[in-house]
């Protein structure tokens, strides 16, 4: 609010919201949701539900072969390799097609050994894949830490 104080006084609250806040709100929320997902795994480690996790964080990549770059939202570092968890703040259930697309991106990275792949989706999933961790928003906020 403070940096926009002059704008608010000149344009009004509604117009400042429409012009400066609303266009970036979903992006801001999605980044906070990624932080919540990483906190979820941290809580699981502290409760003893996850073993051998050395670190929890982000991973940025720049693949010179394919001339692509990107970011993995939640990476669990284990002594033997890494588990990649993609976090999606979607308005509906995550589709199998989107999961397959994300899995292909993950599998193309040759820099480290991938131990597992998972997805976090605020609205849950429109598919079941026993080979991946699937964590819904309901799971994230549950006191039981499934």
């Amino acid at each position: 609010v403070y940096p926009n104080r002059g704008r608010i006084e000149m344009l009004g609250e509604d117009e400042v919201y429409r012009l400066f806040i609303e266009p970036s709100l979903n992006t801001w929320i999605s980044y906070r949701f990624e932080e919540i997902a990483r906190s979820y795994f941290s809580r699981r480690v502290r409760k003893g539900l996850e073993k051998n996790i050395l670190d929890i964080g982000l991973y940025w990549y720049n693949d010179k072969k394919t001339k692509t770059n990107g970011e993995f939202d939640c990476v669990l570092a284990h002594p033997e390799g890494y588990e990649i968890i993609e976090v999606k703040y979607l308005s509906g259930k995550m589709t199998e097609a989107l999961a397959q697309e994300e899995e292909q991106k993950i599998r193309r990275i040759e820099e480290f050994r991938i131990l597992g792949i998972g997805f976090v989706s605020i609205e849950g999933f429109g598919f079941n894949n026993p080979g991946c961790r699937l964590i819904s928003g309901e799971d994230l906020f549950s006191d039981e830490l499934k």
Side-chain angles (χ1 to χ4, degrees), residues 14 18 35 64 78 146:
D14 292 340
R18 187 182 71 76
E35 290 174 10
K64 292 176 182 160
H78 296 266
K146 299 175 186 178

Side-chain angles (χ1 to χ4, degrees), residues 61-73:
Y61 67 91
N62 187 13
D63 188 342
K64 292 176 182 160
K65 277 190 208 173
T66 61
K67 296 183 172 131
T68 58
N69 58 44
E71 161 191 10
F72 297 130
D73 306 320

Side-chain angles (χ1 to χ4, degrees), residues 91-102:
S91 59
K93 292 182 184 291
M94 183 177 193
T95 64
E96 188 168 15
L98 178 56
Q100 288 172 348
E101 181 182 320
E102 293 295 332

